[in-house]
Amino acid sequence: MLLLDRLAAAPLALQPSRWQVFAVSVFLVSVPVFFQAPLVRVAPAVSLLATLGWLGFSLWLWSRTRFQVWGDLLFGFTLSWWAGSLYWGWLRTDPMLHLPVEAIPVPIALAALAFGYFRVGSLFFLGSFLGTCITDFYCMAVGLMPWWERMMVAEESGVDLVRVLPAALAQMHTPLGAVMAAGTCLVLMAITAWAVRSRELHWWAFGGAVFSTLLVDGLFWASVNLFLLGS
């Protein structure tokens, strides 16, 4: 009887902690972008085909009890990678297509949740997508969308970005830009705090994905400023 009790409790012991899921969720949103960003510029088809590799790896992990949660989480990452490859590979010069393309996997995530599969990964993807929506709303409210298009076109045509970036930053440094940036940070932090009040791993994955939006946007802002200082 004691042996049966131990066997029954074994799967629970294999579950990662909520903080581990949160940390890996933050990692999967913030770090791979530094690899995907250059890849989609030089070989977008390779980035898109890599989606199949991520999907296969996620399903392989998910099929094993010890790694099931990580496979589940990687499934959500695969959805994000797929949408990111499509937009940043071929459509990045049109900012108004950003959210529609990033939303392509949303029905898949919602269907998975409805049928009770890939809850961790689906909510990770939805958290990442929500963060993207909030960031894009900030860009629209501050008037950055035209500058987004100009930066992408300048990059593709070989024009020096130093001619474009200062004007975009000036748009961010207006009083409206500062207020909207502070409000955006507070909203993202509030959603994160709400999500991690749960004891369920999938909500911690959601919270980690939302929180990582702050890191990615902060790193982008810092890198642009450093680029201008060094130019």
Side-chain angles (χ1 to χ4, degrees):
M1 188 67 180
L2 181 59
L3 177 61
L4 291 176
D5 290 340
R6 288 181 178 178
L7 289 174
L12 295 176
L14 297 173
Q15 292 291 306
S17 70
R18 295 189 293 271
W19 280 110
Q20 286 176 322
V21 170
F22 184 90
V24 174
S25 297
V26 171
F27 175 87
L28 287 177
V29 174
S30 56
V31 175
V33 69
F34 293 103
F35 300 97
Q36 189 180 30
L39 180 60
V40 293
R41 283 164 173 74
V42 298
V46 173
S47 180
L48 185 60
L49 287 173
T51 305
L52 297 176
W54 288 122
L55 178 61
F57 187 41
S58 69
L59 294 176
W60 182 82
L61 289 174
W62 183 75
S63 66
R64 284 152 176 76
T65 303
R66 181 178 295 273
F67 305 111
Q68 190 171 62
V69 171
W70 302 125
D72 194 336
L73 185 58
L74 196 61
F75 174 79
F77 169 76
T78 301
L79 298 181
S80 296
W81 182 279
W82 173 36
S85 296
L86 288 173
Y87 177 77
W88 295 106
W90 289 277
L91 303 168
R92 60 181 176 269
T93 56
D94 191 340
M96 300 312 295
L97 290 178
H98 186 219
L99 285 182
V101 175
E102 292 284 353
I104 289 175
V106 168
I108 298 174
L110 294 178
L113 288 174
F115 286 98
Y117 292 103
F118 300 108
R119 289 184 176 179
V120 174
S122 296
L123 279 167
F124 165 84
F125 167 75
L126 292 174
S128 177
F129 178 66
L130 177 61
T132 299
C133 291
I134 293 172
T135 299
D136 277 25
F137 173 77
Y138 162 78
C139 291
M140 286 185 277
V142 177
L144 288 177
M145 288 303 190
W147 294 108
W148 177 336
E149 183 176 359
R150 291 174 192 175
M151 284 189 289
M152 294 298 105
V153 171
E155 186 182 52
E156 289 196 348
S157 60
V159 175
D160 193 349
L161 283 175
V162 176
R163 302 179 186 178
V164 182
L165 288 176
L169 281 178
Q171 198 80 11
M172 297 170 64
H173 292 163
T174 61
L176 174 62
V179 170
M180 290 299 301
T184 299
C185 291
L186 289 174
V187 168
L188 291 170
M189 292 175 65
I191 295 173
T192 302
W194 170 80
V196 299
R197 291 177 62 186
S198 173
R199 299 182 63 85
E200 301 291 342
L201 291 179
H202 46 266
W203 285 115
W204 281 70
F206 177 87
V210 171
F211 179 75
S212 63
T213 304
L214 286 171
L215 297 182
V216 173
D217 291 348
L219 287 172
F220 173 75
W221 180 85
S223 62
V224 168
N225 279 277
L226 288 174
F227 173 77
L228 290 175
L229 286 173
S231 59

